[in-house]
Amino acid sequence: NAGVTQTPKFQVLKTGQSMTLQCAQDMNHNSMYWYRQDPGMGLRLIYYSASEGTTDKGEVPNGYNVSRLNKREFSLRLESAAPSQTSVYFCASSPDDRYSYNEQFFGPGTRLTVL
Amino acid sequence: EDKVVQSPLSLVVHEGDTVTLNCSYEVTNFRSLLWYKQEKKAPTFLFMLTSSGIEKKSGRLSSILDKKELFSILNITATQTGDSAVYLCAVKNSGYALNFGKGTSLLVTP
């Protein structure tokens, strides 16, 4: 039982390049999330997926797109990377719906640098 | 707009000291408050609090919620160097996402 896994662990991009961050969970959770963490800013929600087939914007969605490929996988795409997207990206999942009292489980993170 | 404020932002203590970390919030449709510990990598879950006045305990860590005054505290007694980490407070409203504070960075020195 690996929990939440993310690939890659580290990535360096040049401005304007594109890439996709992958996330998978093996806990049969319905909801999945993408956060970014910047120094002094805490974790901020980029996008989330309440269930398979649905996605919604979070606090800081500009410059990103997401795909909920199936129940297990939730990817985050940067179409044209900018230096302001240099950050640590965390994927998370939780068992069920908005009315639940369950915690979110986090992946190990992807450290992205955009030059 | 929902707001979660943690204090202090950073703290340095000696091994054996007791520390209290604070989290205040302004959230519409409050559901729960969560504490996470983050050491270099992924945040790991510590506690979830939903009711006022009920203390949650795990070893040397404990936490309590005051829904009237809108705050929570996380206590760590007899601190050890392994307690050095960033402690994150997050609040869940009736939506899906967690609203995080900026964290308290705790350094425990030998």
Side-chain angles (χ1 to χ4, degrees):
Chain A
N1 191 336
V4 180
T5 57
Q6 291 182 235
T7 55
K9 287 189 170 55
F10 302 93
Q11 183 72 48
V12 178
L13 293 177
K14 293 181 181 175
T15 297
Q17 287 185 315
S18 62
M19 79 159 296
T20 300
L21 281 64
Q22 306 285 356
C23 173
Q25 51 90 9
D26 62 0
M27 296 176 282
N28 201 36
H29 287 173
N30 287 320
S31 303
M32 297 185 74
Y33 309 81
W34 277 105
Y35 292 89
R36 61 177 287 174
Q37 187 174 35
D38 303 297
M41 296 293 290
L43 282 106
R44 293 182 292 168
L45 183 68
I46 305 170
Y47 269 93
Y48 68 96
S49 170
S51 60
E52 188 178 351
T54 69
T55 60
D56 282 286
K57 294 178 182 179
E59 183 186 351
V60 288
N62 291 344
Y64 305 95
N65 284 302
V66 290
S67 295
R68 183 75 182 267
L69 304 167
N70 48 54
K71 193 170 185 180
R72 289 188 65 247
E73 297 170 291
F74 188 39
S75 62
L76 178 73
R77 182 157 179 85
L78 288 70
E79 290 291 350
S80 179
S84 60
Q85 294 178 304
T86 293
S87 188
V88 180
Y89 291 84
F90 287 101
C91 177
S93 70
S94 70
D96 42 24
D97 63 33
R98 64 195 298 168
Y99 303 110
S100 71
Y101 291 89
N102 292 294
E103 69 269 28
Q104 292 181 12
F105 297 81
F106 285 82
T110 295
R111 185 174 293 274
L112 175 67
T113 302
V114 183
L115 302 174
Chain B
E1 184 183 316
D2 293 348
K3 200 186 320 183
V4 179
V5 178
Q6 293 186 244
S7 63
L9 290 180
S10 65
L11 195 53
V12 181
V13 300
H14 293 295
E15 259 189 323
D17 288 350
T18 292
V19 298
T20 298
L21 309 183
N22 303 291
C23 177
S24 64
Y25 63 91
E26 293 175 26
V27 172
T28 50
N29 299 316
F30 174 89
R31 291 227 144 228
S32 58
L33 184 144
L34 296 87
W35 285 97
Y36 285 83
K37 178 182 182 183
Q38 186 176 25
E39 300 171 89
K40 305 277 188 192
K41 291 190 175 179
T44 53
F45 173 74
L46 294 174
F47 298 113
M48 178 185 293
L49 304 151
T50 57
S51 301
S52 279
I54 298 174
E55 186 183 49
K56 293 275 182 104
K57 273 191 80 111
S58 176
R60 296 176 293 100
L61 278 67
S62 63
S63 185
I64 198 159
L65 175 68
D66 185 328
K67 287 169 75 173
K68 184 179 175 191
E69 300 298 328
L70 307 183
F71 77 91
S72 173
I73 60 172
L74 175 69
N75 278 322
I76 309 174
T77 58
T79 52
Q80 301 170 358
T81 54
D83 295 326
S84 296
V86 175
Y87 290 84
L88 298 167
C89 172
V91 175
K92 188 171 189 291
N93 59 18
S94 57
Y96 285 89
L98 292 177
N99 191 346
F100 282 86
K102 294 182 179 181
T104 293
S105 178
L106 173 65
L107 178 63
V108 182
T109 60

